[in-house]
Amino acid sequence: MKLYFKFFSMHLRRQLQYRTSFFFVAFGQACVAATSLISIVFLMPPGVAVMGFNRNEVLLAGAIINLSYATAECFARGFDSLGGLIQSGDFDRAVVRPISEIYQIFMMTIEFTRIGRFLVALLTMGIVLSQLPPISIWYLIFLVLTGAFVYTCLFIIYGSICFYTTENLEFFNILTDGTKEFGKAPFSFYGDNILKFLTYVIPLALIQYYPLLYLLGKKQNIFFAIVPVFAYLFVIPTNFIWRKARKHYGSTGS
């Protein structure tokens, strides 16, 4: 971890060297996140419920996903550039170093500009929580961290595909940026098939839809409160896909 914090400090100082650029990129990220959440305010009048959720509850669902995505994007975005590393041969250097290749990719890129998206979602959550019955802050933190874990796994799978294609495939953004956009409302809004997909294939509903049913008093079954724990099982297929794909890498000299 000492090495990681050294790279953390290095990336932070590098990005802050151009503070104006850093500010505008972070501000742009904040505007994108704000536009996504503010649209709910205009589309849902106060006191109107859609599929059992009022406006504040929908905003809370969106804030959880946005916080999760921003956290994962900040620390795991290096996998988005793995295709370039493979094409240029720079991944060869990662192979011969006595450190885990995944660990090295985490250290290669840390996007601090995602703080804009994070702060907007955090502010939204703070405003919404003041208008809802008391909800455990620690449990919400747990949901956000679990969601960030799931998105990190998605980024790793995204990078794994590059071992087959040697470049990033934009269609995979449907599962990262796409689910983030879907997540601005409870996943049940998109129908049973989408909800099942985001429950059993990509377990994002386990950290947004089902826990909120319990937290907001819509379901009394305690199982809905503990279901986020099962999202950590997503590391099993992620690890399998990474190891399976990694075997296809033969270096640029083969």
Side-chain angles (χ1 to χ4, degrees):
M1 289 302 294
K2 183 178 179 180
L3 180 61
Y4 181 82
F5 284 120
K6 185 174 182 179
F7 273 85
F8 182 94
S9 175
M10 180 187 70
H11 284 297
L12 180 60
R13 285 184 279 111
R14 175 180 60 83
Q15 293 179 38
L16 289 180
Q17 282 184 341
Y18 303 94
R19 302 191 181 196
T20 303
S21 175
F22 178 87
F23 171 79
F24 279 112
V25 174
F27 181 73
Q29 290 285 325
C31 289
V32 171
T35 301
S36 176
L37 293 172
I38 289 175
S39 63
I40 301 297
V41 176
F42 289 100
L43 291 173
M44 294 186 65
V48 174
V50 177
M51 299 185 68
F53 291 88
N54 62 38
R55 187 171 69 181
N56 288 329
E57 293 168 347
V58 171
L59 287 172
L60 179 59
I64 290 173
I65 291 296
N66 269 279
L67 284 170
S68 299
Y69 184 82
T71 303
E73 193 177 32
C74 175
F75 297 104
R77 200 65 188 187
F79 292 92
D80 192 33
S81 58
L82 184 56
L85 294 176
I86 293 173
Q87 289 180 7
S88 65
D90 288 339
F91 190 74
D92 288 357
R93 292 185 294 178
V95 172
V96 298
R97 290 170 181 157
I99 306 176
S100 166
E101 294 157 5
I102 290 181
Y103 188 54
Q104 292 182 61
I105 296 172
F106 273 112
M107 292 190 295
M108 287 178 184
T109 304
I110 301 177
E111 294 287 351
F112 292 101
T113 54
R114 272 45 184 180
I115 189 66
R117 182 191 301 276
F118 185 91
L119 290 177
V120 167
L122 187 63
L123 178 62
T124 302
M125 180 177 287
I127 294 173
V128 168
L129 288 177
S130 67
Q131 304 175 44
L132 291 172
I135 296 176
S136 172
I137 300 298
W138 291 109
Y139 186 73
L140 289 175
I141 292 174
F142 167 67
L143 293 182
V144 170
L145 293 178
T146 305
F149 176 84
V150 174
Y151 273 116
T152 297
C153 288
L154 284 175
F155 282 125
I156 294 174
I157 293 173
Y158 186 18
S160 301
I161 296 175
C162 297
F163 289 119
Y164 295 97
T165 63
T166 69
E167 61 182 21
N168 298 94
L169 300 180
E170 291 299 322
F171 83 88
F172 198 85
N173 286 332
I174 297 172
L175 302 181
T176 51
D177 293 271
T179 54
K180 181 254 298 178
E181 288 301 313
F182 280 2
K184 65 184 180 183
F187 289 125
S188 60
F189 280 29
Y190 306 101
D192 289 340
N193 290 332
I194 295 295
L195 181 59
K196 289 178 181 177
F197 178 79
L198 293 173
T199 300
Y200 301 109
V201 181
I202 300 174
L204 286 170
L206 302 186
I207 59 97
Q208 187 233 50
Y209 175 66
Y210 298 108
L212 285 182
L213 291 179
Y214 182 82
L215 287 176
L216 299 173
K218 302 180 186 301
K219 297 287 185 180
Q220 302 302 321
N221 192 339
I222 191 64
F223 178 74
F224 287 94
I226 64 174
V227 75
V229 175
F230 295 102
Y232 287 97
L233 295 176
F234 194 48
V235 72
I236 297 175
T238 300
N239 182 61
F240 173 79
I241 292 171
W242 171 266
R243 291 181 178 275
K244 184 79 173 176
R246 173 62 183 82
K247 293 179 180 179
H248 282 261
Y249 182 70
S251 88
T252 55
S254 64

